[in-house]
């Protein structure tokens, strides 16, 4: 029997997790997946209950589980506490402790939501790209870091951006392998765009060099291009369909994946996977905890539900079950149901629904 650990977290986390778990239970029964569920605390909820954002019990459960499903962490309630024990530190720590170095974020436009995007439909129609972000290195984890007082009494904040060849090769292999898989499935040439700032940062000069050597040695069937991070931001808006797989470091990936989310109409539609070397992963929506709407039944649960589909696909290798969830989401959108974040108010045929009703609608399509 496989085990999934659910970490609802903070803000809208418990609401979206409730809907995602019901969907997981349904496909578990339908496809006889033999998955059991456990729950744990992470983030602000863990601070309130145990005084730390990642209690040892939660980490032990996460290590023992086959996959982790996360809601969201953080909120203004914990902004004033010591930085080292804020909710986000728990998220960074669990990623690091589990070795979840590869973050996958799919930016796929459902045709029903073309009107919800702020980009012209002809630019984003048919969009389906994958951003592969290195998740356990770079400036978010580099040492030394901190805030220090200089000799003149002025304070100075500092961080270190660092990558080794092995770290770059590891994430590069994930990107190239997925490009090959996507090319085969979609019937088109495989291509990867590596994003860096090699013109000003030595660490990404090594990144570019290593990606080039990896492609030349092992992936000659995959077309490799390079793009500076600032230009990549612009090109995602100007011509996003030029990309298939993008691979980049932690900080640039953080920025680019959130930008790509808005191409799809809402960050509430974007699932993600964070994988270790063996395919074990933590799955979560790309949006945050949205404390301003927490408890009001306004959240969009679709990104979390689609994260369940990614979990079934990448960790459990259950493609049919994953596809059934994605088809159910598409069918619900066909029916015109929309949470507030994806509602086109100019279309009177659409129906505004809350988090619970959206989740129940997806569930009904699965039964």
């Amino acid at each position: 029997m496989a085990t999934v650990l659910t970490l609802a977290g903070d803000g809208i986390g418990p609401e979206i997790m409730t809907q995602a778990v019901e969907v997981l239970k349904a496909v578990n029964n339908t496809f006889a997946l033999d998955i059991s569920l456990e729950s744990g605390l992470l983030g602000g909820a863990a601070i309130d209950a145990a005084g730390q954002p990642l209690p040892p019990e939660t980490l032990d459960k996460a290590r023992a589980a086959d996959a982790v499903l996360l809601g969201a962490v953080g909120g203004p309630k914990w902004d004033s506490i010591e930085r080292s024990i804020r909710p986000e530190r728990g998220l960074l720590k669990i990623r690091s402790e589990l070795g979840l170095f590869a973050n996958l974020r799919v930016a796929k436009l459902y045709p029903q939501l073309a009107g919800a995007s702020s980009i012209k439909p002809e630019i984003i129609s048919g969009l389906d790209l994958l951003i592969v972000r290195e998740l356990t290195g770079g400036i978010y984890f580099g040492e030394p870091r901190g805030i220090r007082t200089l000799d003149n009494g002025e304070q100075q904040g500092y961080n270190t951006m660092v990558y080794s060849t092995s770290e770059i090769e590891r994430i590069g292999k994930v990107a190239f392998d997925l490009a090959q898989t996507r090319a085969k499935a979609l019937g088109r040439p495989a291509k990867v765009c590596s994003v860096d700032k090699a013109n000003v940062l030595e660490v990404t000069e090594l990144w570019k060099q290593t990606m080039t050597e990896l492609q030349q040695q092992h992936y000659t069937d995959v077309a490799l291009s390079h793009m500076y991070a600032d230009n990549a931001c612009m090109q995602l808006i100007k011509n996003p369909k030029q990309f298939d797989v993008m691979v980049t470091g932690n900080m640039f990936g953080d920025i680019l994946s959130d930008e790509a989310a808005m191409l799809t109409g809402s960050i509430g539609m974007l699932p993600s996977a964070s994988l270790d070397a063996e395919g074990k992963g933590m799955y979560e929506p790309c949006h945050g905890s949205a404390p301003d709407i927490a408890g009001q039944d306004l959240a969009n649960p679709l990104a979390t539900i689609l994260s369940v589909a990614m979990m079934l696909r990448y960790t459990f290798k259950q493609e049919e079950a994953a596809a059934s969830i994605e088809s159910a989401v598409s069918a619900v959108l066909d029916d015109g149901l929309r949470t507030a974040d994806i509602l086109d108010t100019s279309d009177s045929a659409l129906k505004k629904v809350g988090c619970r009703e959206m989740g129940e609608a997806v569930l009904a399509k699965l039964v």
Side-chain angles (χ1 to χ4, degrees):
M1 176 179 290
T3 301
V4 172
L5 174 66
T6 63
L7 304 172
D10 312 316
I12 62 172
E15 300 168 69
I16 57 178
M17 182 63 73
T18 295
Q19 304 309 319
V21 166
E22 290 304 312
V23 169
L24 177 55
K25 288 179 178 178
V27 295
N28 188 32
N29 292 332
T30 300
F31 295 93
L33 303 180
D34 199 24
I35 292 174
S36 66
L37 297 175
E38 291 189 355
S39 62
L41 296 173
L42 181 73
I47 294 171
D48 291 346
Q52 51 186 309
L54 178 60
E57 180 184 1
T58 297
L59 184 56
D60 289 342
K61 287 182 177 181
R63 285 174 171 152
D66 297 283
V68 178
L69 183 64
L70 172 66
V73 299
K77 177 181 178 180
W78 304 280
D79 283 351
S80 61
I81 67 174
E82 167 61 36
R83 178 178 294 273
S84 64
I85 59 168
R86 288 180 188 174
E88 295 78 12
R89 303 309 298 180
L91 179 57
L92 292 175
K93 185 176 180 181
I94 195 172
R95 289 171 175 170
S96 179
E97 291 289 337
L98 296 181
L100 306 177
F101 72 93
N103 180 241
L104 315 182
R105 294 193 177 187
V106 177
K108 180 178 180 179
L109 178 71
Y110 282 84
Q112 306 94 323
L113 298 180
S117 175
S118 56
I119 308 299
K120 295 178 180 178
E122 60 267 26
I123 294 177
I124 57 172
S125 178
L127 177 69
D128 183 356
L129 68 89
L130 173 65
I131 296 179
V132 179
R133 167 189 172 191
E134 200 291 320
L135 200 59
T136 58
I139 200 167
Y140 292 174
F141 291 91
E143 297 286 350
R145 62 188 295 156
I147 299 175
R148 58 193 170 196
T149 301
L150 302 178
D151 292 341
N152 65 1
E154 183 181 14
Q155 285 195 306
Q156 181 186 68
Y158 60 99
N159 292 86
T160 303
M161 188 173 185
V162 57
Y163 274 115
S164 65
T165 302
S166 60
E167 288 177 308
I168 301 168
E169 289 178 338
R170 184 173 64 171
I171 195 67
K173 289 176 181 177
V174 172
F176 286 121
D177 287 342
L178 287 172
Q180 290 175 327
T181 300
R182 285 168 58 89
K184 183 177 180 180
L186 300 173
R188 62 192 189 195
K191 59 181 181 179
V192 169
C193 177
S194 176
V195 178
D196 58 59
K197 278 295 288 184
N199 55 335
V200 293
L201 297 174
E202 286 84 356
V203 61
T204 63
E205 183 178 349
L206 176 64
W207 179 285
K208 182 177 182 178
Q209 173 187 319
T210 304
M211 286 291 176
T212 299
E213 292 175 353
L214 182 63
Q215 186 268 345
Q216 292 175 345
Q217 293 173 9
H218 302 288
Y219 296 96
T220 55
D221 61 319
V222 181
L224 173 65
S225 61
H226 302 275
M227 189 173 290
Y228 294 147
D230 45 356
N231 185 32
C233 287
M234 181 182 70
Q235 292 297 327
L236 269 177
I237 300 299
K238 181 181 179 181
N239 181 21
K241 288 185 288 186
Q242 68 181 283
F243 301 110
D244 181 30
V245 175
M246 303 177 78
V247 61
T248 190
N250 209 341
M251 180 170 65
F252 297 150
D254 193 355
I255 296 166
L256 289 169
S257 56
D258 279 4
E259 181 186 9
M262 294 313 299
L263 298 174
T264 68
S266 170
I267 198 169
M269 291 298 299
L270 207 67
S272 76
S274 302
L275 307 178
D276 69 5
E278 306 302 321
K280 175 179 176 176
M282 183 165 71
Y283 299 83
E284 60 185 298
C286 293
H287 58 70
S289 60
D292 57 318
I293 62 169
Q296 301 176 48
D297 194 36
L298 296 175
N300 185 347
L302 294 181
T304 315
I305 291 171
L306 291 170
S307 294
V308 173
M310 291 188 76
M311 179 178 68
L312 295 174
R313 174 172 292 119
Y314 289 110
T315 292
F316 296 111
K317 312 302 180 185
Q318 297 289 338
E319 177 60 34
E320 187 178 1
S324 73
I325 294 175
E326 293 165 343
S327 295
V329 169
S330 184
V332 167
L333 295 176
D334 281 338
D335 288 345
L337 301 186
R338 302 287 189 272
T339 47
D341 59 309
I342 54 174
L343 179 66
D344 181 356
T345 55
S346 67
D347 189 345
S348 60
L350 301 179
K351 178 186 177 183
K352 182 179 178 180
V353 298
C355 180
R356 179 183 54 80
E357 188 173 352
M358 180 64 87
E360 291 175 350
V362 173
L363 190 63
K365 297 295 184 181
L366 290 169
V367 176

